[in-house]
Amino acid sequence: MPNTPNIPTEPPSADDELSEAIAKLTEEAAKGTREDRPDRLSIADIIECPEAFNVRGEDPAEHHLTELKRALERMTDLDPVLILPCGDSFVLIDGHHRLEAYRRDEERTDIPVRYFEGSIEKAVLEAARINAKAVLPLNNQQRQNLAWRLDLTGRYTKPQVMEAAGISDGQIAIMRRAKRKLGSQASEFDAWWKAKRAADGNPNSWTEQEDIDAWRQHRAQVIADKLAKTFGPKLSGNPTIAALALEIHFGRKLADLTQELIDICQDELEEDDEDTDF
């Protein structure tokens, strides 16, 4: 009788992984769920269950993490992550990028949280619902423009503008000085960088390095958003392929790009060193 061929066992499907994750979480919850609900949790106490709650099925997007890192430099906290109390554990439902951004900040030990009190099955649906309607977060240029438009109305306090737009107290103070200087003309500028140039007396020329840097940052952010929308985490997750693609695209100008990247990395390292000095 012929031997039965060895047929490779297929890896479990996504449905199997999800069902198994739900079953395990349900079993854990059945043992009794802790009753305390602190407003903040230690990062080390938050457990991830990607089989159940990583709706996107991808590694964290570096593009998004960069934006969150910049936000943390201006704000005390990001929005609370959503947590499921399960047995003796706290399981992350939504906020994977925020949690990773906190983890990359060595000074952060705990983070703000909110809780989901429904069943495991409903928690899975909640994670899907939240991510299905998620939108691309505002970049730095967009946040500044938003703050400028809000402050122009004269209807909001400084703390309200800070919270709504996610910018610093000092930045709003600069905007208000510019608004006073521009007077009735302030409302003619729909973008902060345009208003700033006018307030500085340079409405039609790029005379200050800060203005040039702001314009470059704006254009770079637009391109970064397009890359993120087109490729998702594929570029950041495959740096070798990304480098080869850039080599093909830039051709002889690759050396110029390389030097620019070296300069940017050096600036980042110097900023990190300044942050750690006491």
Side-chain angles (χ1 to χ4, degrees):
M1 188 173 182
N3 294 329
T4 303
N6 293 322
I7 301 176
T9 302
E10 295 184 357
S13 67
D15 290 340
D16 290 338
E17 287 186 346
L18 177 57
S19 297
E20 184 177 345
I22 292 175
K24 287 183 177 180
L25 290 172
T26 302
E27 181 181 352
E28 185 66 24
K31 299 176 182 177
T33 298
R34 55 193 294 177
E35 297 181 357
D36 58 322
R37 300 289 186 272
D39 293 334
R40 305 181 73 87
L41 288 175
S42 167
I43 294 176
D45 288 340
I46 299 175
I47 296 174
E48 295 184 77
C49 182
E51 295 82 4
F53 300 120
N54 187 0
V55 175
R56 300 178 188 274
E58 301 171 339
D59 293 332
E62 291 297 328
H63 168 71
H64 191 181
L65 287 171
T66 298
E67 283 298 314
L68 293 176
K69 177 176 178 276
R70 289 173 178 167
L72 278 174
E73 293 172 354
R74 298 183 302 273
M75 306 165 63
T76 302
D77 288 311
L78 302 173
D79 288 340
V81 299
L82 184 59
I83 296 294
L84 173 70
C86 183
D88 291 330
S89 303
F90 290 117
V91 183
L92 181 68
I93 295 178
D94 180 68
H96 293 79
H97 282 88
R98 278 167 281 163
L99 178 60
E100 179 62 22
Y102 279 117
R103 283 174 173 161
R104 295 187 182 190
D105 187 338
E106 296 180 356
E107 296 182 359
R108 303 276 179 166
T109 58
D110 61 5
I111 65 174
V113 298
R114 61 189 182 93
Y115 296 93
F116 182 83
E117 301 293 352
S119 66
I120 308 299
E121 290 85 353
K122 288 182 179 179
V124 172
L125 292 178
E126 180 67 7
R129 184 189 67 80
I130 292 173
N131 282 272
K133 68 176 185 179
V135 296
L136 187 67
L138 299 180
N139 60 46
N140 184 56
Q141 192 79 22
Q142 290 168 332
R143 282 193 297 271
Q144 293 196 33
N145 290 342
L146 173 59
W148 171 249
R149 292 195 298 271
L150 288 174
D151 202 55
L152 279 178
T153 67
R155 296 174 178 269
Y156 304 103
T157 65
K158 186 182 289 187
Q160 286 176 320
V161 177
M162 288 172 58
E163 181 178 1
I167 67 172
S168 68
D169 179 276
Q171 183 63 50
I172 297 176
I174 293 173
M175 289 182 178
R176 291 188 171 183
R177 286 197 295 271
K179 184 171 66 171
R180 288 193 296 269
K181 189 171 184 179
L182 292 171
S184 60
Q185 294 182 331
S187 59
E188 298 176 6
F189 301 96
D190 58 349
W192 162 238
W193 63 272
K194 295 178 182 178
K196 183 179 183 303
R197 282 171 53 195
D200 290 342
N202 304 305
N204 300 313
S205 62
W206 297 97
T207 57
E208 291 192 10
Q209 185 61 42
E210 185 176 332
D211 294 333
I212 298 173
D213 291 342
W215 177 83
R216 286 174 175 169
Q217 183 65 39
H218 170 70
R219 293 304 306 158
Q221 189 67 59
V222 170
I223 295 172
D225 289 343
K226 289 181 179 179
L227 288 172
K229 185 176 181 180
T230 303
F231 299 105
K234 293 179 181 178
L235 281 181
S236 58
N238 297 278
T240 301
I241 294 177
L244 291 172
L246 291 174
E247 179 186 19
I248 294 171
H249 179 76
F250 280 89
R252 293 182 178 180
K253 290 188 174 292
L254 183 63
D256 295 337
L257 172 65
T258 302
Q259 186 58 54
E260 290 290 343
L261 290 173
I262 291 173
D263 293 342
I264 291 173
C265 290
Q266 185 62 41
D267 289 342
E268 290 284 343
L269 289 173
E270 290 176 358
E271 289 179 5
D272 290 342
D273 289 341
E274 291 176 0
D275 292 339
T276 56
D277 289 339
F278 293 97

